[in-house]
Amino acid sequence: MGITYEDFLDLEYEPTDEDLVCTFRIDPATGMSMEAAASRVASESSNGTWAALQPGADFTDMGATTFSIAERSSAGSQTGSDDIDGGNIQVAYPAGLFEPGNMPQVLSCIAGNIMGMKAVDSIRLMDCEWPEPVVSSYPGPLYGSSVREEIFGVSDRPITATVPKPKVGLSTAEHAQVGYDAWVGGVDLLKDDENLTDQDFNPFADRLTESLSLRDDAEDETGEKKSYLINVTADTQTMLDRVDEVAAQGGEYVMVDIITAGWASLQTVRERTEKHGLAIHAHRAMHAAFDRMPTHGVSMRVLAQISRLCGVDQLHTGTAGLGKLANEDTVGINDWLKGDLYGRNDVLPVASGGLHPGLLPDLLDATGTNTCIQLGGGIHGHPDGTRSGAIALRSAIDAYVEGKSITEAAEETPELAVALDKWGTETPR
């Protein structure tokens, strides 16, 4: 008898330490049982096909196994009734199925054709448990959260960043000046936004040179270390050239739009940045195309896991429900990024999107201080300008670390008082 879909379903199977275990949320197509849909997920994402095949000595060794099915009723509870509205399944993949160090190949298995299968109305890759044989083939971050101490010499507070606003359209001189004003106001990092790369109004090479020059001036004025997250995103070769230029001019970081650039490009950039000792700041633009729909796609949790394996040092993970953007599970994702992963470095989470100083106490209560806080409009929209907005941000953070209330800090720092008068402590929409 040939190998069929049913051979990929074994509810008695116990995953080994070398299996990559993936949790999916699936909704079977009309007329398809959970078991039938689950077996097809395992088959299509490993080495099965729609037609029965004759077994071979090595064929079955590379097959995935669905070993757990938790059905969900239409009311959302797990049940044994006939009123089934999808559920979660777990699939175990043997480590030998994957080429070492090749993230695109891994994703072609666990998030490839199965996303378009007719056997399911929707399917979402929720979580992964990565085994040591797979993890060991990826470098992980060069620095991770140690950037706070190794680059900025701080360990007791979040580092801070800002994006000039408007995020595109400023000239090179205007962009660099905004950075200078933010730096001298107390911000640690100037950051490009995701769609600023090498446009005529603000060329990459000029922006790098002028921004780093004013960074040096800001360091002289404040006595603090400052740095710049310049966006190197482009085709892979151009990114490598830009990484080399950043290193040559004394930068400490590069920024990559990791989703739009692609995992293969990120892996190549990670190799080059290690040669120069540069950290990678990961912008997640386009992530919502994968994770916004709760029943389909790839969760932000999994995207964050992949980012850590591939070697980013800082990653935007949301604002714990306080900012302007929809967030999946900021705190849970941050905990995974900081947890043990077979000796790989952790990742510094970045909170950004619709933040202002009045939100920081609640944000830091949720995320802790081992993080990066990025404000754009919450700095540059300050009635007294960028420098005052930066002072307000730094005052709010320092107050939190020192155990002071934000209202106490506002009594001591007029710039913070103005920010609270303007925005209060409410989340913008």
Side-chain angles (χ1 to χ4, degrees), residues 9-32:
L9 177 68
D10 182 357
L11 299 183
E12 302 299 320
Y13 180 77
E14 293 288 339
T16 74
D17 291 340
E18 295 190 352
D19 285 344
L20 169 59
V21 175
C22 295
T23 300
F24 297 91
R25 192 243 190 248
I26 68 170
D27 291 315
T30 301
M32 182 78 63

Side-chain angles (χ1 to χ4, degrees), residues 41-309:
V41 170
S43 170
E44 181 63 35
S45 57
S46 57
N47 63 355
T49 186
W50 62 271
L53 299 178
Q54 296 302 313
D58 297 322
F59 177 87
T60 54
D61 291 342
M62 292 299 104
T65 303
T66 296
F67 66 91
S68 174
I69 298 177
E71 295 179 328
R72 181 168 37 247
S73 73
S74 58
S77 61
Q78 291 182 8
T79 178
S81 74
D82 293 331
D83 187 17
I84 298 301
D85 183 28
N88 290 349
I89 67 171
Q90 289 186 293
V91 180
Y93 298 87
L97 183 64
F98 307 114
E99 178 184 351
N102 186 340
M103 187 56 69
Q105 186 269 336
V106 172
L107 293 175
S108 292
C109 293
I110 66 174
N113 284 351
I114 55 174
M115 292 294 161
M117 291 176 60
K118 291 182 179 179
V120 293
D121 286 338
S122 62
I123 178 170
R124 181 177 177 85
L125 177 56
M126 304 288 291
D127 197 6
C128 296
E129 299 172 33
W130 300 88
E132 192 278 334
V134 174
V135 171
S136 65
S137 67
Y138 294 89
L142 182 60
Y143 296 101
S145 65
S146 71
V147 293
R148 293 195 305 160
E149 291 191 62
E150 295 200 34
I151 294 179
F152 298 100
V154 301
S155 59
D156 61 344
R157 66 168 176 85
I159 58 173
T160 56
T162 191
V163 175
K165 299 295 181 179
K167 61 185 181 181
V168 291
L170 296 176
S171 69
T172 300
E174 290 168 335
H175 182 102
Q177 184 62 48
V178 170
Y180 175 80
D181 290 339
W183 279 320
V184 297
V187 167
D188 302 300
L189 286 158
L190 173 66
K191 175 187 168 295
D192 289 350
D193 221 340
E194 74 280 0
N195 53 352
L196 179 64
T197 53
D198 186 27
Q199 290 96 319
D200 289 342
F201 58 82
N202 194 351
F204 177 90
D206 294 344
R207 186 170 73 254
L208 174 64
T209 299
E210 294 191 31
S211 296
L212 291 183
S213 176
L214 289 186
R215 175 208 63 179
D216 295 342
D217 291 345
E219 288 180 341
D220 291 340
E221 182 170 340
T222 64
E224 295 181 340
K225 180 64 182 176
K226 308 294 180 181
S227 194
Y228 178 27
L229 308 175
I230 187 164
N231 188 4
V232 300
T233 304
D235 65 90
T236 304
Q237 185 56 56
T238 299
M239 283 199 286
L240 296 179
D241 293 341
R242 290 175 180 174
V243 168
D244 293 342
E245 185 60 24
V246 171
Q249 295 204 34
E252 296 85 9
Y253 280 91
V254 295
M255 178 183 125
V256 179
D257 296 335
I258 58 172
I259 307 296
T260 55
W263 303 112
S265 292
L266 173 61
Q267 290 186 261
T268 304
V269 168
R270 172 63 177 83
E271 292 179 4
R272 184 63 62 89
T273 55
E274 180 158 12
K275 293 180 180 179
H276 296 303
L278 301 181
I280 298 174
H281 179 95
H283 197 293
R284 60 177 183 165
M286 199 179 171
H287 75 96
F290 297 92
D291 65 33
R292 181 70 182 270
M293 301 301 294
T295 60
H296 192 78
V298 179
S299 72
M300 183 60 211
R301 181 180 180 88
V302 172
L303 295 177
Q305 293 170 356
I306 297 165
S307 302
R308 183 179 180 184
L309 288 168

